[in-house]
Amino acid sequence: MAHEPAKSYQECLKKLQALIIADSFDSKFAPLENAKTPKCLFPIANVPNLHYVIEFLVMNEVKEIIIASSMHRIRIQQFLKAQAYKGVKIDVKGIKADSESFGDALREVADLQVLRDDFIVVRGDIITNINI
């Protein structure tokens, strides 16, 4: 079913979704990153990096966040439960563990049919404060 595009910026903001790909698909931090701690939960100034990503999206008025992860879904859900973010709906979706790239992860999420309209895609291991 086709969706109506937003007619204004304000209308777009009301239904703007964000997709966070929590997996990194590289081994640059192999000694630190292991089966227990995903890179998106590495602490930066004693705060998990994912917190900064979510705050960046909330700052930009994103109302719904979908986090896709293959191996660390439960750890991410535990983190989100402890944080209890308000004003934003956050859902964690599992993707296949054999996803080898960012593109594979995007295809997996597209198959889940959770993205309805315009959306923002960000990595779970970035830090930014740009105004989108």
Side-chain angles (χ1 to χ4, degrees):
M1 182 162 100
H3 296 283
E4 284 288 316
K7 293 178 176 60
S8 69
Y9 177 71
Q10 295 303 325
E11 185 180 326
C12 180
L13 282 180
K14 288 180 185 176
K15 56 185 178 177
L16 187 60
Q17 292 178 294
L19 171 63
I20 300 173
I21 304 293
D23 298 341
S24 62
F25 306 107
D26 63 30
S27 58
K28 293 177 185 172
F29 289 94
L32 299 172
E33 186 178 21
N34 56 40
K36 293 182 180 180
T37 306
K39 197 159 46 167
C40 69
L41 292 180
F42 278 3
I44 311 279
N46 286 331
V47 176
N49 193 31
L50 187 58
H51 174 76
Y52 295 111
V53 176
I54 292 170
E55 287 297 312
F56 150 71
L57 293 169
V58 169
M59 174 186 79
N60 283 284
E61 301 183 40
V62 172
K63 304 298 183 211
E64 182 178 358
I65 299 172
I66 299 157
I67 302 174
S69 178
S70 61
M71 299 184 304
H72 305 289
R73 196 168 114 202
I74 292 171
R75 284 283 315 256
I76 292 169
Q77 287 172 329
Q78 290 169 341
F79 164 75
L80 293 172
K81 186 176 180 181
Q83 296 301 309
Y85 291 100
K86 302 217 185 305
V88 64
K89 177 185 173 198
I90 303 176
D91 194 14
V92 181
K93 296 292 184 184
I95 56 175
K96 293 179 184 172
D98 63 353
S99 296
E100 295 179 359
S101 69
F102 201 78
D104 286 347
L106 282 174
R107 283 186 282 280
E108 290 281 329
V109 173
D111 290 344
L112 296 174
Q113 298 181 349
V114 293
L115 299 169
R116 296 181 306 275
D117 207 358
D118 296 331
F119 64 96
I120 300 165
V121 180
V122 294
R123 295 180 62 105
D125 57 358
I126 62 157
I127 296 177
T128 185
N129 65 352
I130 62 170
N131 186 7
I132 53 173

